[in-house]
Amino acid sequence: MSCQTNPSFPVGDHEAFMDLALIQAQKSPPGANKFCVGAVLIDADNGNVLSTGYSLEYAQNYKGDPGTTHAEQCCFIKIADEHNLPEERIHEVLPANTALYTTMEPCNERLSSNMTCTTRILRLKSAIKTVYVGIKEPRTFIAHNDGQGRLEANGVKVVFPVEYWRSKITKISMNGH
């Protein structure tokens, strides 16, 4: 059982879920060589938050995963730890209509050797049907990320529900640049 109580918001309240993701992003240590990203995993049928995460929330090389931890990965780690499962098996315990909110497009290429967030989402066997994204990944480190294209090509819907927050999300994401 989780020792942390997660909030609930009305189903479809994209601003509330993205705001919670932004709060997570602000916890990420700023740095010139990374983005500050926040993520929230939810049960889209009832608005319950399942887990939250932010980039570098867990130590580098966490449980043998090479490189730094990204926000989406940290959400998955919390579910895995709560249910005593390896991360790749959390689809077994996720609700049927799980959605992910992330302040930045999930990575599809990494400069470190760590698995991309897009691969982590896809290996969950369609447990995550929709990914709500704040902004596309800026071309600061990767010329063309295209996590959105890969997710959509594999049946995951990608939605940008708060495009009018682009400058606010970008400012938080670029903290330390």
Side-chain angles (χ1 to χ4, degrees):
M1 205 55 160
S2 177
C3 58
Q4 171 184 336
T5 303
N6 289 316
S8 285
F9 299 106
V11 172
D13 189 345
H14 302 304
E15 288 185 357
F17 292 115
M18 194 60 74
D19 192 50
L20 183 57
L22 276 170
I23 290 167
Q24 299 309 306
Q26 291 173 1
K27 296 177 184 178
S28 180
N33 63 343
K34 62 172 278 298
F35 296 116
C36 295
V37 178
V40 178
L41 196 63
I42 71 156
D43 181 339
D45 285 336
N46 60 24
N48 290 337
V49 172
L50 304 170
S51 65
T52 61
Y54 58 88
S55 43
L56 299 185
E57 182 174 1
Y58 287 89
Q60 186 158 335
N61 303 319
Y62 183 78
K63 290 191 174 179
D65 241 341
T68 57
T69 54
H70 281 192
E72 301 89 337
Q73 176 187 3
C74 293
C75 284
F76 301 159
I77 287 169
K78 288 176 185 171
I79 299 293
D81 287 352
E82 180 179 351
H83 294 278
N84 199 26
L85 288 170
E87 182 191 329
E88 64 272 13
R89 287 186 47 208
I90 66 170
H91 63 89
E92 297 172 13
V93 296
L94 290 175
N97 192 15
T98 299
L100 177 69
Y101 283 80
T102 181
T103 57
M104 186 179 291
E105 174 185 20
C107 66
N108 193 39
E109 184 177 335
R110 301 239 356 220
L111 297 178
S112 71
S113 56
N114 203 338
M115 181 184 298
T116 69
C117 293
T118 298
T119 299
R120 288 177 189 282
I121 293 165
L122 293 175
R123 76 176 177 169
L124 295 179
K125 304 179 192 275
S126 302
I128 297 173
K129 295 174 182 36
T130 307
V131 177
Y132 295 96
V133 178
I135 60 170
K136 295 281 288 174
E137 181 177 329
R139 296 175 179 230
T140 307
F141 306 116
I142 304 291
H144 185 65
N145 174 38
D146 201 28
Q148 176 183 0
R150 185 165 168 229
L151 288 169
E152 290 175 339
N154 284 279
V156 178
K157 187 175 175 183
V158 177
V159 179
F160 290 80
V162 292
E163 291 196 59
Y164 46 93
W165 285 10
R166 186 177 297 132
S167 61
K168 176 176 161 178
I169 295 170
T170 299
K171 182 180 180 190
I172 291 168
S173 298
M174 304 294 277
N175 192 7
H177 288 235

Coordinates of all heavy atoms in Angstrom, one line a residue, residues 47-142:
G47 N -10.2 10.1 -12.4 CA -9.4 11.3 -12.1 C -8.4 11.1 -10.9 O -7.8 12.1 -10.5
N48 N -8.2 9.9 -10.5 CA -7.3 9.6 -9.4 C -5.8 9.6 -9.9 O -5.5 9.0 -10.9 CB -7.5 8.2 -8.8 CG -8.8 8.2 -8.0 OD1 -9.3 9.2 -7.5 ND2 -9.3 7.0 -7.8
V49 N -5.0 10.3 -9.2 CA -3.5 10.4 -9.5 C -2.9 9.1 -9.0 O -3.1 8.8 -7.8 CB -2.9 11.6 -8.9 CG1 -1.4 11.6 -9.1 CG2 -3.4 12.9 -9.6
L50 N -2.2 8.4 -9.8 CA -1.6 7.1 -9.4 C -0.2 7.3 -8.9 O 0.3 6.7 -8.0 CB -1.6 6.1 -10.6 CG -3.0 5.8 -11.2 CD1 -2.8 5.0 -12.5 CD2 -3.8 5.1 -10.2
S51 N 0.5 8.2 -9.6 CA 1.9 8.6 -9.2 C 2.3 9.8 -9.9 O 1.7 10.2 -10.9 CB 2.9 7.4 -9.5 OG 3.0 7.2 -10.9
T52 N 3.4 10.4 -9.4 CA 4.0 11.6 -9.9 C 5.5 11.4 -10.1 O 6.0 10.5 -9.4 CB 3.7 12.9 -9.0 OG1 4.3 12.6 -7.8 CG2 2.2 13.1 -8.9
G53 N 6.1 12.2 -10.9 CA 7.6 12.1 -11.0 C 8.2 13.4 -11.6 O 7.5 14.2 -12.3
Y54 N 9.5 13.5 -11.4 CA 10.2 14.6 -12.1 C 11.6 14.2 -12.4 O 12.1 13.2 -11.9 CB 10.2 15.9 -11.2 CG 10.8 15.7 -9.8 CD1 12.2 15.9 -9.6 CD2 10.0 15.4 -8.7 CE1 12.8 15.7 -8.4 CE2 10.6 15.2 -7.5 CZ 12.0 15.4 -7.3 OH 12.5 15.3 -6.1
S55 N 12.2 14.8 -13.4 CA 13.5 14.4 -13.9 C 14.5 14.6 -12.8 O 14.5 15.5 -12.0 CB 13.9 15.2 -15.1 OG 13.6 16.6 -15.0
L56 N 15.3 13.5 -12.6 CA 16.4 13.4 -11.6 C 15.8 13.2 -10.2 O 16.5 13.4 -9.2 CB 17.3 14.5 -11.6 CG 18.2 14.8 -12.9 CD1 19.2 15.9 -12.6 CD2 18.9 13.5 -13.3
E57 N 14.5 12.7 -10.1 CA 14.0 12.4 -8.8 C 14.7 11.3 -8.1 O 14.9 11.3 -6.9 CB 12.5 12.2 -8.9 CG 11.8 11.9 -7.6 CD 10.3 11.7 -7.6 OE1 9.7 11.8 -8.7 OE2 9.7 11.5 -6.6
Y58 N 15.1 10.3 -8.9 CA 15.8 9.1 -8.4 C 17.3 9.3 -8.8 O 17.6 9.9 -9.8 CB 15.2 7.8 -9.0 CG 13.9 7.5 -8.3 CD1 12.7 7.9 -8.8 CD2 13.9 6.7 -7.2 CE1 11.5 7.6 -8.2 CE2 12.6 6.4 -6.6 CZ 11.5 6.8 -7.1 OH 10.3 6.5 -6.5
A59 N 18.1 8.6 -8.1 CA 19.6 8.7 -8.3 C 19.9 8.1 -9.7 O 19.2 7.3 -10.3 CB 20.3 7.9 -7.3
Q60 N 21.0 8.6 -10.2 CA 21.6 8.1 -11.5 C 21.8 6.6 -11.3 O 22.2 6.1 -10.2 CB 22.9 8.8 -11.8 CG 23.4 8.4 -13.2 CD 24.3 9.5 -13.8 OE1 24.2 10.7 -13.4 NE2 25.2 9.1 -14.6
N61 N 21.6 5.9 -12.4 CA 21.8 4.4 -12.4 C 20.9 3.7 -11.4 O 21.3 2.7 -10.9 CB 23.3 4.1 -12.2 CG 24.2 4.7 -13.2 OD1 23.9 4.8 -14.3 ND2 25.3 5.2 -12.7
Y62 N 19.7 4.2 -11.2 CA 18.7 3.6 -10.3 C 18.4 2.2 -10.7 O 18.0 1.9 -11.8 CB 17.4 4.5 -10.2 CG 16.4 4.0 -9.2 CD1 16.6 4.2 -7.9 CD2 15.3 3.2 -9.6 CE1 15.7 3.8 -6.9 CE2 14.4 2.8 -8.7 CZ 14.6 3.0 -7.4 OH 13.7 2.6 -6.4
K63 N 18.6 1.3 -9.7 CA 18.4 -0.1 -9.9 C 19.0 -0.7 -11.2 O 18.4 -1.5 -11.9 CB 16.9 -0.4 -9.9 CG 16.2 -0.2 -8.6 CD 14.8 -0.8 -8.5 CE 14.3 -0.7 -7.1 NZ 12.9 -1.2 -7.0
G64 N 20.2 -0.2 -11.5 CA 20.9 -0.7 -12.7 C 20.6 -0.1 -14.0 O 21.2 -0.4 -15.0
D65 N 19.6 0.8 -14.0 CA 19.3 1.5 -15.3 C 20.3 2.6 -15.5 O 20.5 3.5 -14.7 CB 17.9 2.2 -15.1 CG 16.9 1.8 -16.1 OD1 17.3 1.2 -17.1 OD2 15.7 2.0 -15.8
P66 N 21.1 2.5 -16.6 CA 22.2 3.5 -16.8 C 21.6 4.9 -17.1 O 20.6 5.0 -17.7 CB 22.9 2.9 -18.1 CG 21.9 2.1 -18.8 CD 21.0 1.6 -17.7
G67 N 22.3 5.9 -16.6 CA 22.0 7.2 -16.9 C 21.1 7.8 -15.9 O 20.8 7.3 -14.8
T68 N 20.5 9.0 -16.2 CA 19.7 9.7 -15.3 C 18.2 9.3 -15.4 O 17.8 8.7 -16.4 CB 19.8 11.2 -15.5 OG1 19.4 11.5 -16.9 CG2 21.2 11.7 -15.3
T69 N 17.4 9.6 -14.4 CA 16.0 9.2 -14.4 C 15.1 10.4 -15.0 O 15.4 11.5 -14.6 CB 15.5 8.8 -13.0 OG1 15.8 9.9 -12.1 CG2 16.1 7.5 -12.6
H70 N 14.2 10.1 -15.9 CA 13.3 11.1 -16.4 C 12.0 11.0 -15.7 O 11.7 10.0 -15.0 CB 13.1 10.8 -17.9 CG 14.2 11.3 -18.8 ND1 14.1 11.3 -20.2 CD2 15.5 11.7 -18.5 CE1 15.2 11.8 -20.7 NE2 16.1 12.0 -19.7
A71 N 11.2 12.1 -15.8 CA 9.9 12.2 -15.1 C 9.0 11.0 -15.3 O 8.5 10.5 -14.3 CB 9.3 13.5 -15.5
E72 N 8.8 10.6 -16.5 CA 7.9 9.5 -16.8 C 8.4 8.2 -16.1 O 7.6 7.5 -15.5 CB 7.8 9.3 -18.3 CG 7.2 10.5 -19.1 CD 8.3 11.4 -19.6 OE1 9.4 11.5 -19.0 OE2 8.0 12.2 -20.5
Q73 N 9.7 8.0 -16.2 CA 10.3 6.8 -15.6 C 10.1 6.8 -14.1 O 9.8 5.8 -13.5 CB 11.8 6.8 -15.9 CG 12.6 5.7 -15.3 CD 14.1 5.8 -15.5 OE1 14.6 6.8 -16.1 NE2 14.8 4.8 -15.0
C74 N 10.2 8.0 -13.5 CA 10.0 8.1 -12.0 C 8.5 7.7 -11.7 O 8.3 7.0 -10.6 CB 10.4 9.4 -11.5 SG 12.1 9.8 -11.7
C75 N 7.6 8.1 -12.5 CA 6.2 7.7 -12.2 C 6.1 6.2 -12.3 O 5.4 5.5 -11.4 CB 5.3 8.2 -13.3 SG 4.8 10.0 -13.2
F76 N 6.7 5.5 -13.2 CA 6.7 4.1 -13.4 C 7.4 3.4 -12.2 O 6.9 2.3 -11.7 CB 7.2 3.6 -14.7 CG 6.6 4.3 -15.9 CD1 7.2 4.3 -17.1 CD2 5.3 4.8 -15.9 CE1 6.6 4.9 -18.3 CE2 4.6 5.3 -17.0 CZ 5.3 5.4 -18.2
I77 N 8.5 3.9 -11.8 CA 9.3 3.3 -10.7 C 8.4 3.3 -9.5 O 8.4 2.3 -8.7 CB 10.6 4.2 -10.4 CG1 11.6 3.9 -11.5 CG2 11.1 3.8 -9.0 CD1 12.8 4.9 -11.4
K78 N 7.7 4.3 -9.2 CA 6.8 4.4 -8.0 C 5.7 3.3 -8.0 O 5.5 2.6 -7.0 CB 6.2 5.8 -7.8 CG 7.2 6.8 -7.4 CD 6.6 8.2 -7.3 CE 7.7 9.2 -7.0 NZ 7.3 10.5 -7.1
I79 N 5.1 3.1 -9.2 CA 4.1 2.0 -9.3 C 4.8 0.6 -9.1 O 4.3 -0.2 -8.4 CB 3.4 2.1 -10.6 CG1 2.7 3.4 -10.8 CG2 2.5 0.9 -10.8 CD1 1.5 3.6 -9.9
A80 N 5.9 0.5 -9.7 CA 6.7 -0.8 -9.6 C 7.1 -1.1 -8.2 O 6.8 -2.2 -7.7 CB 7.9 -0.7 -10.5
D81 N 7.6 -0.1 -7.5 CA 8.0 -0.3 -6.1 C 6.8 -0.6 -5.2 O 6.9 -1.4 -4.3 CB 8.8 0.9 -5.6 CG 10.2 1.0 -6.2 OD1 10.6 0.0 -6.9 OD2 10.8 2.0 -6.0
E82 N 5.7 0.1 -5.4 CA 4.5 0.0 -4.6 C 3.9 -1.5 -4.7 O 3.4 -2.0 -3.8 CB 3.4 1.0 -5.1 CG 2.1 0.9 -4.3 CD 1.1 1.9 -4.7 OE1 1.4 2.8 -5.5 OE2 -0.1 1.7 -4.3
H83 N 4.1 -2.0 -5.9 CA 3.5 -3.4 -6.2 C 4.6 -4.5 -6.2 O 4.3 -5.6 -6.6 CB 2.7 -3.4 -7.5 CG 1.5 -2.5 -7.4 ND1 0.3 -2.9 -6.8 CD2 1.3 -1.2 -7.8 CE1 -0.6 -1.9 -6.9 NE2 0.0 -0.9 -7.4
N84 N 5.8 -4.1 -5.9 CA 6.9 -5.1 -5.9 C 7.0 -5.8 -7.2 O 7.1 -7.0 -7.3 CB 6.8 -6.1 -4.7 CG 8.1 -6.8 -4.4 OD1 9.1 -6.2 -4.7 ND2 8.0 -8.0 -3.9
L85 N 7.0 -5.0 -8.3 CA 7.1 -5.5 -9.7 C 8.3 -4.9 -10.4 O 8.7 -3.7 -10.0 CB 5.9 -5.2 -10.5 CG 4.6 -5.9 -10.2 CD1 3.4 -5.3 -10.9 CD2 4.7 -7.4 -10.5
P86 N 8.9 -5.5 -11.4 CA 9.8 -4.8 -12.2 C 9.0 -3.8 -13.0 O 7.8 -4.0 -13.3 CB 10.4 -5.9 -13.1 CG 9.5 -7.1 -13.0 CD 8.8 -6.9 -11.7
E87 N 9.7 -2.7 -13.4 CA 9.0 -1.6 -14.1 C 8.2 -2.1 -15.3 O 7.1 -1.7 -15.6 CB 10.0 -0.5 -14.4 CG 9.4 0.7 -15.1 CD 10.4 1.6 -15.7 OE1 11.5 1.7 -15.2 OE2 10.1 2.2 -16.8
E88 N 8.8 -3.0 -16.1 CA 8.2 -3.4 -17.3 C 7.0 -4.2 -17.1 O 6.2 -4.5 -18.1 CB 9.2 -4.2 -18.2 CG 9.7 -5.5 -17.6 CD 11.0 -5.4 -16.7 OE1 11.3 -4.2 -16.3 OE2 11.5 -6.4 -16.4
R89 N 6.6 -4.6 -15.9 CA 5.4 -5.4 -15.6 C 4.3 -4.6 -15.0 O 3.3 -5.1 -14.6 CB 5.7 -6.6 -14.8 CG 6.5 -7.7 -15.6 CD 6.7 -8.9 -14.8 NE 5.5 -9.4 -14.1 CZ 5.5 -10.1 -13.0 NH1 6.7 -10.5 -12.4 NH2 4.4 -10.5 -12.4
I90 N 4.5 -3.2 -14.8 CA 3.4 -2.5 -14.1 C 2.1 -2.4 -14.9 O 1.1 -2.2 -14.3 CB 3.9 -1.1 -13.8 CG1 4.1 -0.2 -15.0 CG2 5.1 -1.1 -12.8 CD1 4.3 1.3 -14.7
H91 N 2.1 -2.8 -16.2 CA 0.9 -2.9 -16.9 C -0.1 -3.8 -16.3 O -1.3 -3.7 -16.5 CB 1.1 -3.2 -18.4 CG 1.7 -4.6 -18.6 ND1 1.0 -5.7 -18.8 CD2 3.0 -5.0 -18.6 CE1 1.8 -6.8 -18.9 NE2 3.1 -6.3 -18.8
E92 N 0.4 -4.8 -15.5 CA -0.4 -5.8 -14.9 C -1.3 -5.2 -13.8 O -2.3 -5.8 -13.4 CB 0.5 -6.9 -14.3 CG 1.3 -7.7 -15.3 CD 2.3 -8.6 -14.7 OE1 2.2 -8.9 -13.5 OE2 3.1 -9.1 -15.5
V93 N -0.9 -4.0 -13.2 CA -1.6 -3.4 -12.1 C -2.2 -2.1 -12.4 O -2.9 -1.5 -11.6 CB -0.7 -3.3 -10.8 CG1 -0.3 -4.7 -10.3 CG2 0.5 -2.5 -11.1
L94 N -1.9 -1.5 -13.6 CA -2.4 -0.2 -14.0 C -3.9 -0.4 -14.3 O -4.3 -1.4 -14.9 CB -1.7 0.4 -15.1 CG -0.2 0.8 -14.8 CD1 0.5 1.3 -16.1 CD2 -0.2 1.9 -13.8
P95 N -4.7 0.7 -14.0 CA -6.1 0.7 -14.4 C -6.3 0.6 -16.0 O -5.3 0.9 -16.7 CB -6.7 2.0 -13.9 CG -5.7 2.4 -12.9 CD -4.4 1.9 -13.3
A96 N -7.4 0.1 -16.4 CA -7.7 -0.1 -17.8 C -7.5 1.2 -18.7 O -7.1 1.1 -19.8 CB -9.0 -0.7 -18.0
N97 N -7.8 2.3 -18.1 CA -7.8 3.6 -18.8 C -6.7 4.5 -18.1 O -7.1 5.6 -17.6 CB -9.2 4.2 -18.9 CG -9.2 5.4 -19.9 OD1 -8.3 5.6 -20.7 ND2 -10.3 6.2 -19.7
T98 N -5.5 4.1 -18.2 CA -4.4 4.9 -17.6 C -4.0 6.0 -18.6 O -3.9 5.7 -19.8 CB -3.2 4.0 -17.2 OG1 -3.7 3.1 -16.2 CG2 -2.1 4.8 -16.6
A99 N -3.7 7.2 -18.1 CA -3.2 8.2 -19.0 C -2.0 8.9 -18.3 O -1.8 8.8 -17.1 CB -4.3 9.3 -19.2
L100 N -1.2 9.5 -19.1 CA 0.1 10.1 -18.6 C 0.0 11.6 -19.0 O -0.2 11.9 -20.2 CB 1.3 9.4 -19.2 CG 2.6 10.0 -18.9 CD1 3.0 9.8 -17.4 CD2 3.7 9.4 -19.7
Y101 N 0.3 12.5 -18.0 CA 0.5 13.9 -18.3 C 1.9 14.1 -18.1 O 2.5 13.8 -17.1 CB -0.3 14.7 -17.3 CG -1.8 14.8 -17.6 CD1 -2.7 13.8 -17.3 CD2 -2.3 15.9 -18.3 CE1 -4.0 13.9 -17.6 CE2 -3.7 16.0 -18.6 CZ -4.5 15.0 -18.3 OH -5.9 15.1 -18.6
T102 N 2.5 14.8 -19.1 CA 3.9 15.2 -19.0 C 4.2 16.6 -19.5 O 3.5 16.9 -20.5 CB 4.9 14.1 -19.6 OG1 6.2 14.5 -19.5 CG2 4.5 13.9 -21.1
T103 N 5.0 17.3 -18.9 CA 5.2 18.7 -19.3 C 5.9 18.8 -20.6 O 5.8 19.8 -21.3 CB 5.9 19.5 -18.2 OG1 7.2 18.9 -17.9 CG2 5.1 19.6 -16.9
M104 N 6.6 17.8 -21.0 CA 7.4 17.8 -22.2 C 7.2 16.4 -22.9 O 7.2 15.4 -22.3 CB 8.9 18.0 -22.0 CG 9.7 18.2 -23.2 SD 11.5 18.5 -22.9 CE 11.3 20.2 -22.2
E105 N 7.2 16.5 -24.2 CA 7.1 15.3 -25.1 C 8.0 14.2 -24.6 O 9.2 14.5 -24.4 CB 7.4 15.7 -26.5 CG 7.5 14.6 -27.5 CD 8.0 15.1 -28.9 OE1 8.6 16.2 -29.0 OE2 7.7 14.4 -29.9
P106 N 7.5 13.0 -24.5 CA 8.4 11.9 -24.0 C 9.6 11.7 -25.0 O 9.4 11.8 -26.2 CB 7.5 10.7 -24.0 CG 6.2 11.2 -23.8 CD 6.1 12.5 -24.5
C107 N 10.8 11.5 -24.5 CA 12.0 11.4 -25.3 C 11.9 10.1 -26.1 O 11.4 9.1 -25.7 CB 13.2 11.4 -24.4 SG 13.4 10.0 -23.3
N108 N 12.4 10.2 -27.3 CA 12.5 9.0 -28.2 C 14.0 8.8 -28.6 O 14.3 7.9 -29.4 CB 11.7 9.3 -29.5 CG 11.5 8.0 -30.3 OD1 11.3 7.0 -29.8 ND2 11.6 8.2 -31.6
E109 N 14.9 9.6 -28.0 CA 16.3 9.4 -28.2 C 17.0 10.0 -27.0 O 16.5 11.0 -26.4 CB 16.8 10.2 -29.5 CG 18.2 10.0 -29.8 CD 18.6 10.8 -31.1 OE1 17.8 11.0 -31.9 OE2 19.8 11.1 -31.2
R110 N 18.0 9.3 -26.5 CA 18.7 9.8 -25.3 C 20.2 9.8 -25.6 O 20.7 8.9 -26.2 CB 18.5 8.8 -24.1 CG 17.0 8.7 -23.8 CD 16.6 9.0 -22.4 NE 17.4 9.4 -21.3 CZ 17.2 9.0 -20.1 NH1 16.3 8.2 -19.8 NH2 17.9 9.5 -19.1
L111 N 20.8 10.8 -25.1 CA 22.3 10.9 -25.2 C 23.0 10.0 -24.3 O 24.1 9.5 -24.5 CB 22.7 12.4 -25.0 CG 22.2 13.4 -26.0 CD1 22.6 14.8 -25.6 CD2 22.6 13.0 -27.4
S112 N 22.3 9.7 -23.1 CA 22.8 8.6 -22.2 C 22.4 7.3 -22.8 O 21.7 7.2 -23.8 CB 22.3 8.8 -20.8 OG 20.9 8.4 -20.8
S113 N 22.8 6.2 -22.2 CA 22.4 4.9 -22.7 C 21.1 4.4 -22.1 O 20.7 3.3 -22.3 CB 23.6 3.9 -22.4 OG 23.9 3.9 -21.1
N114 N 20.4 5.3 -21.3 CA 19.2 4.8 -20.7 C 18.1 4.7 -21.7 O 18.1 5.3 -22.7 CB 18.8 5.9 -19.6 CG 17.9 5.3 -18.6 OD1 17.2 4.3 -18.8 ND2 17.9 6.0 -17.4
M115 N 17.1 3.8 -21.4 CA 16.0 3.5 -22.3 C 15.2 4.8 -22.4 O 15.0 5.5 -21.4 CB 15.1 2.4 -21.7 CG 13.9 2.1 -22.5 SD 12.9 0.8 -21.7 CE 14.1 -0.6 -21.6
T116 N 14.6 5.1 -23.6 CA 13.8 6.3 -23.8 C 12.5 6.1 -23.1 O 12.0 5.0 -22.9 CB 13.6 6.5 -25.3 OG1 12.7 5.5 -25.8 CG2 14.9 6.6 -26.1
C117 N 11.9 7.3 -22.8 CA 10.5 7.2 -22.2 C 9.5 6.7 -23.2 O 8.5 6.0 -22.7 CB 10.2 8.6 -21.7 SG 11.3 9.1 -20.3
T118 N 9.6 7.0 -24.4 CA 8.7 6.4 -25.4 C 8.7 4.9 -25.4 O 7.7 4.3 -25.4 CB 9.1 7.0 -26.8 OG1 8.9 8.4 -26.8 CG2 8.1 6.4 -27.9
T119 N 9.9 4.3 -25.3 CA 10.0 2.8 -25.2 C 9.4 2.3 -24.0 O 8.7 1.3 -23.9 CB 11.5 2.4 -25.4 OG1 12.0 2.8 -26.6 CG2 11.7 0.9 -25.2
R120 N 9.6 3.1 -22.9 CA 9.1 2.7 -21.6 C 7.5 2.6 -21.6 O 6.9 1.8 -21.1 CB 9.5 3.6 -20.4 CG 11.0 3.4 -20.1 CD 11.4 4.4 -19.0 NE 12.8 4.4 -18.8 CZ 13.5 3.5 -18.1 NH1 12.8 2.5 -17.5 NH2 14.8 3.5 -18.0
I121 N 7.0 3.6 -22.3 CA 5.5 3.7 -22.4 C 5.0 2.6 -23.3 O 4.1 1.9 -22.9 CB 5.1 5.1 -23.0 CG1 5.4 6.2 -22.0 CG2 3.6 5.1 -23.4 CD1 5.3 7.6 -22.6
L122 N 5.7 2.3 -24.4 CA 5.2 1.3 -25.3 C 5.4 -0.1 -24.8 O 4.5 -1.0 -25.1 CB 5.9 1.4 -26.7 CG 5.6 2.7 -27.5 CD1 6.5 2.8 -28.7 CD2 4.1 2.8 -27.8
R123 N 6.4 -0.3 -24.0 CA 6.5 -1.7 -23.5 C 5.5 -2.1 -22.4 O 5.5 -3.2 -21.9 CB 8.0 -1.9 -22.9 CG 8.3 -1.3 -21.6 CD 9.7 -1.6 -21.2 NE 10.0 -1.0 -19.9 CZ 11.0 -1.3 -19.2 NH1 11.9 -2.2 -19.6 NH2 11.3 -0.6 -18.1
L124 N 4.7 -1.1 -22.0 CA 3.6 -1.4 -21.1 C 2.3 -1.9 -21.7 O 1.3 -2.0 -21.1 CB 3.3 -0.1 -20.3 CG 4.4 0.4 -19.4 CD1 4.0 1.7 -18.7 CD2 4.9 -0.7 -18.4
K125 N 2.5 -2.4 -23.0 CA 1.4 -3.2 -23.7 C 0.1 -2.5 -23.7 O -0.9 -3.0 -23.3 CB 1.3 -4.6 -23.0 CG 2.6 -5.3 -23.0 CD 2.4 -6.7 -22.3 CE 3.7 -7.4 -22.0 NZ 4.3 -8.1 -23.1
S126 N 0.1 -1.2 -24.1 CA -1.1 -0.4 -24.3 C -1.8 -0.1 -23.0 O -3.0 0.3 -23.0 CB -2.1 -1.1 -25.3 OG -1.5 -1.3 -26.5
A127 N -1.1 -0.2 -21.9 CA -1.7 0.2 -20.6 C -2.0 1.7 -20.6 O -3.0 2.2 -20.0 CB -0.8 -0.2 -19.4
I128 N -1.1 2.5 -21.2 CA -1.3 3.9 -21.4 C -1.8 4.2 -22.8 O -1.1 4.0 -23.7 CB 0.1 4.7 -21.1 CG1 0.5 4.4 -19.7 CG2 -0.1 6.2 -21.4 CD1 1.9 5.0 -19.3
K129 N -3.0 4.7 -22.8 CA -3.7 4.9 -24.1 C -3.5 6.3 -24.6 O -3.6 6.6 -25.8 CB -5.1 4.5 -24.0 CG -5.3 3.0 -23.8 CD -6.7 2.5 -23.5 CE -6.8 1.1 -23.2 NZ -5.8 0.4 -22.4
T130 N -3.4 7.2 -23.7 CA -3.3 8.7 -24.0 C -2.1 9.3 -23.2 O -2.0 9.1 -22.0 CB -4.6 9.4 -23.7 OG1 -5.7 8.7 -24.4 CG2 -4.5 10.8 -24.2
V131 N -1.3 10.1 -23.9 CA -0.3 10.9 -23.3 C -0.6 12.4 -23.6 O -0.8 12.8 -24.7 CB 1.1 10.6 -23.8 CG1 2.2 11.5 -23.2 CG2 1.4 9.1 -23.6
Y132 N -0.8 13.1 -22.5 CA -1.1 14.5 -22.6 C 0.2 15.3 -22.4 O 0.9 15.1 -21.4 CB -2.1 15.0 -21.5 CG -3.5 14.3 -21.7 CD1 -3.8 13.1 -21.0 CD2 -4.4 14.9 -22.6 CE1 -5.1 12.6 -21.2 CE2 -5.6 14.3 -22.8 CZ -6.0 13.1 -22.1 OH -7.2 12.5 -22.3
V133 N 0.6 16.1 -23.3 CA 1.9 16.8 -23.4 C 1.8 18.3 -23.3 O 0.9 18.9 -23.9 CB 2.6 16.4 -24.7 CG1 3.9 17.0 -24.8 CG2 2.7 14.8 -24.8
G134 N 2.7 18.9 -22.5 CA 2.7 20.3 -22.4 C 3.3 21.0 -23.6 O 2.7 21.8 -24.3
I135 N 4.6 20.6 -23.9 CA 5.3 21.1 -25.1 C 6.1 20.0 -25.8 O 6.4 19.0 -25.2 CB 6.3 22.3 -24.7 CG1 7.3 21.7 -23.7 CG2 5.5 23.5 -24.1 CD1 8.5 22.7 -23.4
K136 N 6.4 20.3 -27.1 CA 7.3 19.4 -27.8 C 8.7 19.6 -27.2 O 9.0 20.7 -26.6 CB 7.4 19.9 -29.3 CG 6.1 19.7 -30.1 CD 5.9 18.3 -30.5 CE 6.8 17.8 -31.6 NZ 6.7 16.4 -31.9
E137 N 9.5 18.6 -27.3 CA 10.9 18.8 -26.8 C 11.6 19.8 -27.6 O 11.7 19.6 -28.8 CB 11.6 17.4 -26.8 CG 13.0 17.5 -26.2 CD 13.8 16.2 -26.2 OE1 13.2 15.2 -26.0 OE2 15.0 16.3 -26.3
P138 N 12.2 20.8 -27.0 CA 13.0 21.8 -27.7 C 14.2 21.1 -28.3 O 14.7 20.0 -27.9 CB 13.5 22.8 -26.7 CG 12.5 22.6 -25.6 CD 12.1 21.2 -25.6
R139 N 14.8 21.6 -29.4 CA 15.9 21.0 -30.1 C 17.2 21.3 -29.5 O 18.3 21.2 -30.1 CB 15.9 21.4 -31.6 CG 14.6 21.0 -32.3 CD 14.5 21.5 -33.7 NE 13.3 21.0 -34.3 CZ 13.3 20.4 -35.5 NH1 14.4 20.3 -36.2 NH2 12.2 20.0 -36.0
T140 N 17.2 21.6 -28.2 CA 18.4 21.9 -27.5 C 19.5 20.8 -27.5 O 20.7 21.1 -27.7 CB 18.1 22.2 -26.0 OG1 17.1 23.2 -26.0 CG2 19.3 22.8 -25.2
F141 N 19.1 19.6 -27.3 CA 20.0 18.4 -27.2 C 19.8 17.4 -28.3 O 20.8 16.8 -28.8 CB 19.9 17.7 -25.8 CG 20.0 18.6 -24.6 CD1 18.9 18.8 -23.8 CD2 21.1 19.3 -24.4 CE1 19.0 19.7 -22.7 CE2 21.3 20.2 -23.3 CZ 20.2 20.3 -22.5
I142 N 18.6 17.2 -28.7 CA 18.3 16.2 -29.8 C 17.7 17.0 -30.9 O 16.7 17.8 -30.7 CB 17.3 15.2 -29.3 CG1 17.8 14.5 -28.0 CG2 16.9 14.2 -30.4 CD1 19.0 13.6 -28.3

